[in-house]
Amino acid sequence: MDPEAVRRTLDPTASPEDISGSTPYDSFVISGVRLDAAEHGRVLCSFVVTPRHASPQGYLLSGVTATLADQMGSAVIYSIGVGLSEEGFSGVGLSGVSLEISVSYVDTATVGEEIEVEGKLLRAGKSVCVVSIDFRKKRTGKLIAQARHTKYLAVSSKL
């Protein structure tokens, strides 16, 4: 496992082409996310809710949470070596294709609050990986959202 390769997938200066998902919205959301730890099957990040992440009322947008769940699911899969070449991150979309992303929202976060996001591998099979992602208020540890990301791992063809 190469923590630097995982870090590059979550790099706040990455262009949309460098981020799995490859949309300007992904890079908009990822900007400001700090990688705190990466190990085999586990990635820990944090970020401060800014006005660009928030609704006009000052609450963290659900779309930001869902996008981060998508990116964190991929990062956890990269942490076990899927989608990585010997040189590290080997391109867009190599962590597989999302089959399902579900998010349960149980509390709110407001502008200025620091959020900790922890992704853990639940299962890695031959063709499917399942990741759990928890979003917590860093100061209190209170859960604000819980996501599950299931990805199909496309087998590369030798043709």
Side-chain angles (χ1 to χ4, degrees), residues 36-53:
D36 298 325
E39 57 192 53
H40 188 84
R42 180 179 173 268
V43 175
L44 183 67
C45 294
S46 59
F47 70 99
V48 174
V49 179
T50 63
R52 68 186 178 83
H53 294 131

Side-chain angles (χ1 to χ4, degrees), residues 51-70:
R52 68 186 178 83
H53 294 131
S55 68
Q57 294 78 26
Y59 298 111
L60 178 63
L61 290 166
S62 59
V64 170
T65 305
T67 299
L68 283 171
D70 184 12

Side-chain angles (χ1 to χ4, degrees), residues 46-147:
S46 59
F47 70 99
V48 174
V49 179
T50 63
R52 68 186 178 83
H53 294 131
S55 68
Q57 294 78 26
Y59 298 111
L60 178 63
L61 290 166
S62 59
V64 170
T65 305
T67 299
L68 283 171
D70 184 12
Q71 293 300 322
M72 284 292 288
S74 296
V76 170
I77 292 169
Y78 289 132
S79 80
I80 64 169
V82 174
L84 299 175
S85 68
E86 289 180 16
E87 297 81 38
F89 182 58
S90 56
V92 175
L94 296 177
S95 67
V97 178
S98 295
L99 294 175
E100 177 185 34
I101 299 174
S102 63
V103 184
S104 297
Y105 301 93
V106 296
D107 199 4
T108 60
T110 56
V111 171
E113 285 189 283
E114 188 169 10
I115 306 301
E116 187 172 74
V117 186
E118 181 178 28
K120 292 181 183 176
L121 183 69
L122 298 179
R123 182 179 194 291
K126 290 180 183 178
S127 61
V128 175
C129 278
V130 181
V131 177
S132 173
I133 303 103
D134 288 345
F135 295 78
R136 296 184 181 278
K137 295 180 181 184
K138 195 163 189 171
R139 188 175 63 79
T140 64
K142 187 172 184 183
L143 186 70
I144 61 167
Q146 190 168 56

